[in-house]
Amino acid sequence: MITVDEKLIVTKQINEVLCRYAKRNLIKEFLFSFSFPNCSKDNTKLKPKNINPLLETIYYYQGEIYPDTLEEVERYINAFLSELDENDLTALQFFTLNENYLNHIDEFENEDDSEYTKEEFEEKLGRYFAQKLYEPEENGLNEEVQELLQNQISRLVNEIDLSVLNKESISEILHVIDIMTD
């Protein structure tokens, strides 16, 4: 990060790099490992029996994560997040803030009715985002990351057909993951 006069400055380019890294690497890794738990990334050794039964269940629920699957999904997400180093987790947090950007602007505007100049507004909004990044537990950012990962699972399931499990199912899952993370 760039600092000027003890202010953290996140440039548009830095934000884009972090978000691209999170999407192309971390989200891709997450979706692959969720779809094929305990499998290496060697696509030639994947078999239909390697497809996560939880993914199949969510498929039959049409992408919804109901209470009977929520605990297991949360456990998997928490295990994935706990294995990330601080830099990867930060990149995922940036990606989450970027994905929820409009919601955060609405939340920020609802919290603070004051009138600002454009520069003041951008500075206050920047501080709002910085506070989320510096205190992710207290400001709900960690929960947003978990929700984002749940939504990625639902999105994946809505794009694939698991009615019959075969080698084409594996190819389809891998293809959709590539499309989602490109």
Side-chain angles (χ1 to χ4, degrees):
M1 301 305 154
I2 302 168
T3 59
V4 178
D5 296 330
E6 298 183 28
K7 292 181 184 177
L8 177 66
I9 307 294
V10 177
T11 66
K12 181 179 177 183
Q13 291 81 8
I14 290 173
N15 184 58
E16 287 176 3
V17 167
L18 286 170
C19 291
R20 185 179 311 128
Y21 170 77
K23 184 177 182 181
R24 289 186 178 171
N25 294 80
L26 301 174
I27 298 296
K28 187 173 196 164
E29 178 185 335
F30 170 75
L31 290 173
F32 180 87
S33 60
F34 184 83
S35 300
F36 306 103
N38 305 318
C39 291
S40 71
K41 293 183 180 173
D42 182 6
N43 300 344
T44 60
K45 295 184 180 182
L46 294 174
K47 296 181 177 20
K49 68 179 184 177
N50 298 126
I51 296 174
N52 189 345
L54 185 56
L55 188 69
E56 291 178 73
T57 302
I58 296 169
Y59 169 78
Y60 288 113
Y61 289 161
Q62 298 178 336
E64 295 293 324
I65 299 174
Y66 288 112
D68 63 329
T69 56
L70 180 62
E71 186 177 324
E72 195 173 346
V73 168
E74 286 178 339
R75 193 172 332 129
Y76 183 84
I77 289 171
N78 288 332
F80 175 79
L81 293 174
S82 69
E83 292 177 10
L84 296 178
D85 67 21
E86 185 178 344
N87 295 324
D88 286 345
L89 185 57
T90 299
L92 202 51
Q93 290 169 338
F94 267 84
F95 180 72
T96 301
L97 287 174
N98 198 59
E99 289 293 299
N100 297 330
Y101 182 75
L102 294 177
N103 294 337
H104 286 293
I105 287 182
D106 289 343
E107 185 179 312
F108 173 73
E109 288 176 338
N110 289 336
E111 285 180 8
D112 191 351
D113 295 347
S114 305
E115 294 292 321
Y116 297 113
T117 65
K118 183 180 178 187
E119 293 79 20
E120 290 172 330
F121 179 80
E122 288 177 0
E123 183 178 335
K124 296 275 186 192
L125 183 61
R127 287 184 182 169
Y128 171 83
F129 282 122
Q131 185 178 13
K132 285 214 169 270
L133 288 166
Y134 286 132
E135 298 173 352
E137 190 69 39
E138 294 82 9
N139 293 305
L141 184 56
N142 287 344
E143 288 83 18
E144 285 184 50
V145 170
Q146 291 178 342
E147 185 178 322
L148 175 115
L149 294 175
Q150 285 180 17
N151 291 339
Q152 294 294 314
I153 293 169
S154 294
R155 186 173 159 217
L156 171 65
V157 166
N158 286 326
E159 297 294 325
I160 58 177
D161 179 9
L162 295 178
S163 57
V164 177
L165 296 181
N166 53 31
K167 288 188 178 196
E168 287 77 31
S169 302
I170 294 168
S171 298
E172 185 179 3
I173 291 169
L174 295 172
H175 178 71
V176 170
I177 290 172
D178 283 343
I179 289 171
M180 288 176 61
T181 57
D182 190 25

